[in-house]
C-alpha cells in the first residue's frame, strides 16, 4: 500500500531510513568507544537525539536534488527511466560516501581528537605523504576502510535494485497540474527537515553542541556532515565575524592599540593601521638569524618546562640561553606556527595565510624585510616543499632559496615526511658555513619533521623511552637528540659568533582533550641562543607572535612593519596568549593573580573562565567584558588584515 502511495519516492524513503539507522549505529559505536568522555546518561540522550536531528538535516539536503528529479521528472518513458537511473546511482554514491566517512573516523579521532573536518580535505593535496603515513602508522584503517566501503557500495546497489523494482506511479504523477502541488508539499517537508529549525538560521553544529568537550560535540555530527560543513565554510575564509560576532574595523584597531600600549605617534600609516617604526635594541653589526621550528615538540616533552624527561639536550641548552617559560602556540597546525614565527600573524578560524590565495605574494614576513636589507633568506626542510603550500607562500614573500628533500644527496635516513632531522641539520650547518664564508648575512627557517606520525627515525641513536621505537615520546626524544647534535656543531663554527638562534615548536603533538580549548597543549618551548645571549628564564605570558619582533631587535634590524608582537627585549609585558583550536578561539591573560581565559565559539556568546595550570582545568566565572572585547578584536584582526590587504609593507602595493 505504501509503495502505491509513495510511488517514485519509495526508494528514497528506504535509503533515507537505512542511512539514518546506520549513522545512528555508528554514533553509538563511537560513543561507546569514547564513553568516558561522554559521561552521564543525560549526555547520551542529547548526543543521540541531536545526532538524529543532524542526520535528518544532512540527508534532506543531499537527497533534495534526487527528490526533485523523482517527483517532477521520473516516469515510465525513456526519459523517465534515465531519471530513475540517475536517482539510483545518486542514492548509492551518497550513501556510500556517508559510510566511508564513518569508517575513516576512528583513525582521524586517534590523531586529531575530532571527527573529520577541513584537515581531511587539506591533506588530499598531499597524497604521497598521507598514504605513506597511513601505511606506516594506520595500516589497519588504510586496508579496512576501502574494503568495507566497497562492500557497502555493493550492498547499497542491491538495495537500490530492490527498492526500484516495480515502482508504481500514482495518479497524481501523470497529472501536470497535481504534480507541482505534490512537489511543493514534498519540497516544503524536505526544506523543513534540512533546516531543522524555524529560527532565523538553520541548524548548524553550534545549535546541537551541549558539552564543554569538543570531541563529544563532534560525535553529535556525522563525519560526512562534519566534512561537508567544513568545506562549505572554507568559501568564507576571510570573515571571522560570521563565526564569533561583529566589530567594526575602527574599533578592532583601537582596541588592539589600547592593549598594545604604544603611543599613537608610533603608528605611521593611515592606510596600514598597525604599521609602526621599530628600533632594534642591538645596535651593532646586524647578525644572522636562524629559526629552528620543531615539529610537534610541545612543552609536555621538555623536562626543564615540567614535561617528560625526553629533552636532555634542550634542557642543557636552556642553561645557556633565554628560555621562555610561558609561551603559547597560536594553533595546532604547522602552517599556523609558520605564519606566527615568520610574520607575527594572529590566528583566525580560516586556514592559515600560508594556504590562502590572497597572501601568496605581497604579504609581510620577516624574510621580506630582511631580504630588502641585504640578507640571504632561505627555508630548509627535510620533506617536499610543496606540502601545505609552503613553497608558494615562501617564494612569494621574501624567501630566496628553498632546500627540500630532493636537495639531499645520499641521506642517512628517509621516512614518510622526508629525511631525518640529523640529515636536515647537517644540510643546515653546511649551508650556514658556506654563507658565512661568502660574508653575507643570512636568515633561515629550518623546519624539522621526524617528530610526526608515524614517528620514523634512525635506530640506535637514542636510549628509547618506551617500546616499540616508533612512538610519539621516542620521536620527541630523537628530535631533542638531533637538535643537540646540531648545536654541538654550530657552537664550534665561525658563524656562531654572528648568529642568533631560536628553537621553538610549531605546535604541540596531538592537541586534544575534554576542555573547550586544551590550553595545556598550546604550551610550547621557545629558547633563544647566541654568543651574546645571557642565560635567563623569562616568566612572562607570551605568544608565538612575539618572536619575530624580538628576534629582529636582537639581530639589530630596525624597520617599519605591521606586526603586533611585542619586542621582548623591552620590559613591557605582553601578558596574553592567543590560541586557535579549530573553530574555537582562546584568549588568556593574567588577571587578579590568576590566569583568566575568554573562549569564543562559533555562533555562541563569549564565555570567561579561570584556567588552573596545575590541573589544566577551566572554571566558569562572571564575564570579563574588557577581556571579551580584546579577544574579539584579536580574533577579527587577522580576517580584516587578510581581506583588506592591510598586512604588508608600505612599499608593497595592493
Amino acid at each position: 500500500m505504501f509503495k502505491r502511495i509513495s510511488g517514485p519516492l519509495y526508494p528514497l524513503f528506504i535509503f533515507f531510513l537505512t542511512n539514518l539507522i546506520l549513522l545512528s549505529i555508528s554514533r553509538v559505536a563511537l560513543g561507546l568507544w569514547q564513553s568516558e568522555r561522554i559521561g552521564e546518561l543525560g549526555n547520551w540522550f542529547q548526543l543521540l537525539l541531536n545526532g538524529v536531528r543532524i542526520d535528518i538535516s544532512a540527508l534532506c539536503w543531499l537527497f533534495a536534488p534526487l527528490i526533485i528529479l523523482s517527483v517532477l521528472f521520473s516516469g515510465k518513458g525513456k526519459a523517465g527511466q534515465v531519471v530513475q537511473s540517475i536517482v539510483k546511482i545518486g542514492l548509492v554514491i551518497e550513501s556510500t560516501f556517508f559510510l566511508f566517512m564513518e569508517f575513516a573516523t576512528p583513525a582521524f579521532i586517534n590523531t586529531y581528537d575530532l571527527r573529520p573536518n577541513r584537515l581531511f580535505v587539506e591533506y588530499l593535496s598531499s597524497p604521497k605523504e598521507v598514504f605513506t603515513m597511513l601505511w606506516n602508522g594506520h595500516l589497519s584503517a588504510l586496508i579496512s576502510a576501502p574494503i568495507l566501503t566497497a562492500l557497502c557500495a555493493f550492498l547499497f546497489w542491491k538495495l537500490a535494485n530492490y527498492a526500484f523494482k516495480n515502482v508504481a506511479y500514482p495518479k497524481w504523477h501523470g497529472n501536470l497540474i497535481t504534480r507541482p502541488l505534490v512537489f511543493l508539499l514534498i519540497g516544503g517537508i524536505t526544506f523543513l527537515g534540512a533546516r531543522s529549525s524555524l529560527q532565523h538560521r538553520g541548524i548548524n553544529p553550534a545549535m546541537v553542541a551541549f558539552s564543554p568537550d569538543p570531541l563529544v560535540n563532534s560525535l553529535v555530527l556525522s563525519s560526512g556532515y562534519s566534512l561537508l560543513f567544513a568545506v562549505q565554510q572554507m568559501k568564507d575564509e576571510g570573515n571571522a565575524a560570521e563565526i564569533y560576532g561583529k566589530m567594526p574595523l575602527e574599533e578592532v584597531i583601537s582596541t588592539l592599540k589600547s592593549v598594545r600600549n604604544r603611543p599613537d605617534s608610533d603608528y605611521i600609516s593611515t592606510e596600514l593601521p598597525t604599521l609602526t617604526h621599530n628600533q632594534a635594541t642591538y645596535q651593532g653589526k646586524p647578525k644572522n638569524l636562524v629559526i629552528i621550528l620543531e615539529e610537534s615538540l610541545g612543552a609536555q616533552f621538555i623536562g626543564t618546562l615540567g614535561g617528560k624527561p625526553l629533552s636532555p639536550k634542550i634542557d642543557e641548552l636552556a642553561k645557556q640561553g633565554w628560555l621562555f617559560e610561558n609561551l603559547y602556540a597560536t594553533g595546532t597546525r604547522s602552517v599556523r606556527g609558520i605564519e606566527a614565527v615568520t610574520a607575527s600573524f594572529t590566528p583566525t578560524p580560516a586556514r592559515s595565510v600560508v594556504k590562502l590565495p590572497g597572501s601568496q605574494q605581497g604579504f609581510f614576513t620577516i624574510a621580506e624585510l630582511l631580504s630588502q636589507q641585504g640578507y640571504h633568506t632561505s627555508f630548509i626542510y627535510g620533506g617536499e616543499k610543496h606540502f601545505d603550500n609552503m613553497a608558494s607562500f615562501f617564494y612569494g614573500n621574501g624567501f630566496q632559496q628553498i632546500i627540500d628533500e630532493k636537495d639531499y644527496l645520499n641521506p642517512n635516513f628517509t621516512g614518510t615526511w622526508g629525511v631525518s632531522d640529523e640529515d636536515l641539520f647537517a644540510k643546515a650547518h653546511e649551508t650556514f658555513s658556506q654563507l658565512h664564508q661568502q660574508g653575507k648575512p643570512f636568515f633561515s627557517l629550518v623546519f624539522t619533521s621526524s617528530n610526526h606520525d608515524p614517528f620514523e627515525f634512525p635506530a640506535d641513536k637514542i636510549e628509547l623511552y618506551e617500546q616499540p621505537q616508533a612512538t610519539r615520546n621516542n620521536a620527541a626524544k630523537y628530535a631533542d637528540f638531533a637538535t643537540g647534535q646540531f648545536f654541538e656543531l654550530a657552537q664550534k663554527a665561525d658563524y656562531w659568533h654572528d648568529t642568533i638562534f631560536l628553537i621553538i615548536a610549531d605546535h604541540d603533538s596531538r592537541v586534544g582533550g575534554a576542555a573547550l580549548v586544551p590550553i595545556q597543549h598550546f604550551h610550547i618551548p621557545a629558547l633563544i641562543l647566541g654568543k651574546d645571549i645571557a642565560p635567563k628564564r623569562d616568566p612572562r605570558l607570551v605568544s608565538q607572535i612575539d618572536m619575530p619582533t624580538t628576534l629582529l631587535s636582537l639581530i639589530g634590524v630596525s624597520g617599519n612593519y605591521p606586526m603586533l608582537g611585542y619586542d621582548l627585549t623591552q620590559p613591557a609585558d605582553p601578558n596574553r596568549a592567543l590560541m586557535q583550536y579549530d573553530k574555537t578561539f582562546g584568549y588568556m591573560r593574567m588577571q587578579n593573580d590568576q590566569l583568566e581565559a575568554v573562549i569564543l565559539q562559533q555562533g555562541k556568546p563569549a564565555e570567561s573562565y579561570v584556567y588552573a595550570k596545575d590541573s589544566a582545568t577551566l572554571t566558569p566565572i562572571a564575564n570579563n567584558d574588557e577581556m571579551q572585547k580584546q579577544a574579539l578584536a584579536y580574533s577579527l584582526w587577522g580576517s580584516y588584515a587578510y581581506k583588506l590587504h592591510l598586512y604588508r609593507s608600505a612599499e608593497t602595493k595592493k
Side-chain angles (χ1 to χ4, degrees), residues 294-547:
E294 295 276 1
E295 171 68 54
S296 303
L297 197 65
Q300 62 169 312
F301 304 110
I302 306 300
T304 192
L305 293 177
K308 298 171 184 175
L310 302 174
S311 59
K313 302 296 185 181
I314 292 178
D315 291 348
E316 188 61 33
L317 289 170
K319 299 175 184 177
Q320 306 170 33
W322 181 0
L323 178 70
F324 295 91
E325 297 179 317
N326 288 296
L327 186 141
Y328 287 78
T330 59
T332 62
R333 294 290 312 283
S334 296
V335 284
R336 190 68 75 192
I338 287 171
E339 71 179 8
V341 301
T342 65
S344 187
F345 196 67
T346 54
T348 73
R351 290 179 294 170
S352 161
V353 290
V354 176
K355 309 188 80 166
L356 295 181
S359 49
Q360 298 310 298
Q361 59 183 359
F363 189 87
F364 177 83
T365 68
I366 58 173
E368 177 196 31
L369 177 67
L370 293 174
S371 65
Q372 292 170 354
Q373 301 206 19
Y375 277 69
H376 177 277
T377 57
S378 64
F379 171 56
I380 305 177
Y381 183 46
E384 294 185 349
K385 61 186 177 184
H386 67 78
F387 183 72
D388 264 349
N389 202 55
M390 292 187 293
S392 175
F393 179 79
F394 288 141
Y395 277 137
N397 295 299
F399 286 82
Q400 301 159 4
Q401 179 187 19
I402 295 180
I403 296 173
D404 75 344
E405 186 175 2
K406 65 178 174 52
D407 297 308
Y408 294 78
L409 300 177
N410 303 315
N412 292 317
F413 181 89
T414 302
T416 297
W417 296 99
V419 302
S420 71
D421 286 359
E422 289 173 88
D423 291 300
L424 169 77
F425 283 126
K427 174 65 76 173
H429 174 65
E430 175 189 341
T431 303
F432 302 155
S433 298
Q434 292 174 353
L435 290 169
H436 180 75
Q437 289 176 1
Q438 296 169 9
K440 190 172 186 178
F442 61 84
F443 159 60
S444 186
L445 175 66
V446 182
F447 187 18
T448 72
S449 58
S450 293
N451 187 27
H452 193 297
D453 189 357
F455 308 114
E456 301 162 297
F457 58 90
D460 303 321
K461 295 293 183 177
I462 59 171
E463 181 180 345
L464 297 180
Y465 180 74
E466 59 196 5
Q467 293 291 341
Q469 175 175 307
T471 69
R472 183 174 279 105
N473 287 326
N474 286 334
K477 190 172 183 181
Y478 171 74
D480 171 79
F481 162 79
T483 303
Q485 190 178 68
F486 167 73
F487 276 97
E488 289 178 6
L489 292 172
Q491 289 176 337
K492 298 174 184 176
D494 291 338
Y495 63 79
W496 169 260
H497 302 279
D498 303 310
T499 307
I500 297 295
F501 299 84
L502 169 67
I503 304 171
I504 189 170
D506 57 352
H507 55 81
D508 195 6
S509 181
R510 197 176 183 272
V511 178
L516 287 171
V517 175
I519 293 175
Q520 75 276 18
H521 287 302
F522 284 80
H523 186 202
I524 60 171
L527 173 63
I528 296 176
L529 294 161
K531 177 179 176 294
D532 299 319
I533 299 297
K536 64 177 176 179
R537 298 176 72 101
D538 195 325
R540 289 177 289 180
L541 177 61
V542 295
S543 170
Q544 272 178 320
I545 69 169
D546 297 315
M547 292 296 100

Side-chain angles (χ1 to χ4, degrees), residues 3-10 76 164-170 173:
K3 287 172 65 175
R4 286 288 173 184
I5 295 174
S6 299
L9 293 177
Y10 175 69
K76 296 180 179 179
F164 278 93
K165 187 177 181 180
N166 299 322
V167 167
Y169 293 96
H173 198 268

Side-chain angles (χ1 to χ4, degrees), residues 244-259:
Y244 303 130
K246 298 183 183 299
M247 180 185 286
L249 175 60
E250 294 75 15
E251 188 175 358
V252 167
I253 294 167
S254 64
T255 301
L256 294 180
K257 286 181 177 180
S258 174
V259 176

Side-chain angles (χ1 to χ4, degrees), residues 69-178:
L69 288 173
S70 296
V71 175
L72 293 181
F73 301 108
S74 64
K76 296 180 179 179
K78 285 187 177 181
Q81 293 303 310
V82 171
V83 168
Q84 187 180 98
S85 297
I86 293 173
V87 172
K88 180 191 294 188
I89 294 171
L91 287 172
V92 172
I93 291 175
E94 291 179 359
S95 301
T96 302
F97 163 74
F98 270 111
L99 280 194
F100 167 73
M101 292 305 305
E102 295 301 310
F103 294 143
T105 297
F108 198 90
I109 288 178
N110 268 332
T111 303
Y112 297 106
D113 211 40
L114 291 168
R115 278 191 184 269
N117 52 22
R118 66 188 304 154
L119 297 182
F120 196 92
V121 178
E122 291 181 12
Y123 271 137
L124 293 178
S125 63
S126 304
K128 173 183 173 290
E129 291 87 347
V130 172
F131 179 82
T132 309
M133 179 182 71
L134 291 172
W135 180 266
N136 291 320
H138 304 277
L139 185 59
S140 60
L142 183 63
I143 294 174
S144 62
I147 292 175
L148 290 172
T149 302
L151 176 61
C152 288
F154 173 76
L155 294 176
F156 278 131
W157 185 253
K158 288 288 189 181
L159 178 63
N161 286 332
Y162 162 76
F164 278 93
K165 187 177 181 180
N166 299 322
V167 167
Y169 293 96
K171 292 181 179 179
W172 61 261
H173 198 268
N175 191 311
L176 294 178
I177 297 177
T178 309

